Amino acid sequence: MSDEGSAFSILAEVMGWYHLLDRHHFTEQISEGWVGLPDPDEFYNSIIDILNEPHQDTLTTLLSEAKEMYTTIAATKLLQKIDDLKEQLCYAYTCKFFTAAHTSSQRVEGINASLKGRGKLKKCFSGATYAEMVSRISHKERVWNRDALKELERCIQNGMMTGERVIKEITANALLALNISSVDATDIPTIFTVKESENSTRFSTVNTNAEVTFNGIVFDCIMVCDCSMYTSSKLICPCICRVCQHMNVDFKNPKHIHPRYWIVFHPLYVQALKNLDMSDNKHAPWVGKYEPPIEEEGATAGQNTLKTGENGIVKLRTSIFHELGDFDNHSPAKRVTLLRDLSQTCFP
């Protein structure tokens, strides 16, 4: 997922990836389309409705109505651009792909903003060497990892199985679930159909006891839904929240949440346990299915050699910034040598 830069689309094509466009960047262009319109707010809301519409047939209708309503040159140009890029931009199409509910990678965007010096990239880096640029990047990476590690430690100390923002997002979805009035059971006790109202023609199917495979491990008791929100985020959606309210079940119980959001799978989880000097996680819902990686005996310093128990998973975490270590303390000549050696290792 990126902006409209040609380099990203070329890279995606070469790598065989599906290129999605970041709606956050695109919404900034709406102001260019309302030039000459009597009601800019109405135009803005119309574009947002088009971008967020989850159904393709309704999206087509909204686009047609907007083209008839807004006929200025700027508005027509923007609407045609949306129509041409709808499969990469509009939620009705992008919801088929897992994006963790992001419209952009906030972490990467934050690092980019820091690297660019808040709009002063050329000024900051015009006289910098390659080694100095990598040094700045590695510093920012360490700062972000430090903050993530602190959050993990806080979650572990508070007995949380998922991150703080996951719970906030699920709580927000629970409020949206109040707009859903129809929950019907099926012949299978764990499967329900959910509609916004009794007269609605669209419905979603919720399974309250599904099996999910993640990192090669099969987990049961996971709640899943076929709605667009769950498909794109794998988070407990309003449909699941409504079924749980109907069944009087706690939808915040981590054993029902997709394991992708369990903190135990975070790359820094083991380090957080070490920092807290904690190894007892018998209270966790993944007991018997996951054992935290341990360092392999006989491994030399700097090697990423991790192994797990019989039912564990191997976490391959190769990071050039981790290998750089105290990059700032090396002389310029040593930095160049270190970078060359690491580059040959990573890019043979």
Side-chain angles (χ1 to χ4, degrees), residues 208-211 219-223 255-257:
T208 59
N209 188 23
E211 287 189 350
F219 298 88
D220 52 18
C221 297
I222 306 299
M223 294 186 176
K255 74 177 184 179
H256 300 314
I257 300 174

Side-chain angles (χ1 to χ4, degrees), residues 275-313:
N275 290 355
L276 296 172
D277 195 23
M278 295 172 60
S279 59
D280 181 14
N281 57 1
K282 295 179 180 179
H283 58 287
W286 50 80
V287 169
K289 297 181 180 179
Y290 174 84
E291 296 177 12
I294 59 175
E295 294 183 1
E296 186 175 0
E297 295 182 3
T300 59
Q303 282 185 322
N304 289 324
T305 53
L306 297 177
K307 65 178 182 179
T308 63
E310 181 179 354
N311 294 322
I313 61 173

Side-chain angles (χ1 to χ4, degrees), residues 14-88:
V14 171
M15 299 300 295
W17 300 334
Y18 193 89
H19 184 214
L20 298 181
L21 293 174
D22 174 17
R23 285 183 294 156
H24 172 74
H25 285 88
F26 196 87
T27 51
E28 296 176 351
Q29 303 178 28
I30 297 178
S31 59
E32 301 173 4
W34 69 43
V35 177
L37 292 176
D39 192 346
D41 289 337
E42 182 183 35
F43 178 75
Y44 178 86
N45 292 331
S46 298
I47 298 299
I48 295 299
D49 289 342
I50 290 172
L51 296 177
N52 294 337
E53 172 55 43
H55 303 290
Q56 295 181 15
D57 53 349
T58 307
L59 170 64
T60 302
T61 302
L62 291 176
L63 275 171
S64 299
E65 293 176 349
K67 289 179 179 180
E68 294 178 0
M69 184 179 301
Y70 307 109
T71 56
T72 61
I73 296 176
T76 301
K77 181 180 179 181
L78 180 62
L79 288 168
Q80 187 59 49
K81 185 177 184 179
I82 294 175
D83 199 359
D84 294 338
L85 300 174
K86 60 185 178 184
E87 295 186 5
Q88 298 172 273

Side-chain angles (χ1 to χ4, degrees), residues 10 26 48 50 101-102 141 153 159 173 192 199 261 279 289 314:
I10 293 173
F26 196 87
I48 295 299
I50 290 172
H102 288 179
E141 181 72 10
E153 293 172 3
N173 289 341
F192 298 81
N199 298 327
Y261 294 101
S279 59
K289 297 181 180 179
V314 178

Side-chain angles (χ1 to χ4, degrees), residues 170-184 192-198 204 206 208 223 225 236-251:
I170 295 175
T171 302
N173 289 341
L175 295 177
L176 295 177
L178 299 176
N179 297 324
I180 301 175
S181 61
S182 176
V183 177
D184 297 319
F192 298 81
T193 58
V194 178
K195 295 188 293 185
E196 187 172 350
S197 65
E198 290 290 347
S204 299
V206 174
T208 59
M223 294 186 176
C225 182
I236 299 294
C237 62
C239 307
I240 296 177
C241 292
R242 185 65 186 90
V243 170
C244 289
Q245 294 166 358
H246 176 76
M247 299 173 58
N248 195 26
V249 174
D250 182 13
F251 50 82

Side-chain angles (χ1 to χ4, degrees), residues 145-156:
N145 284 340
R146 181 197 62 196
D147 294 342
L149 193 59
K150 288 182 179 179
E151 181 179 348
L152 278 172
E153 293 172 3
R154 187 165 61 249
C155 290
I156 294 173

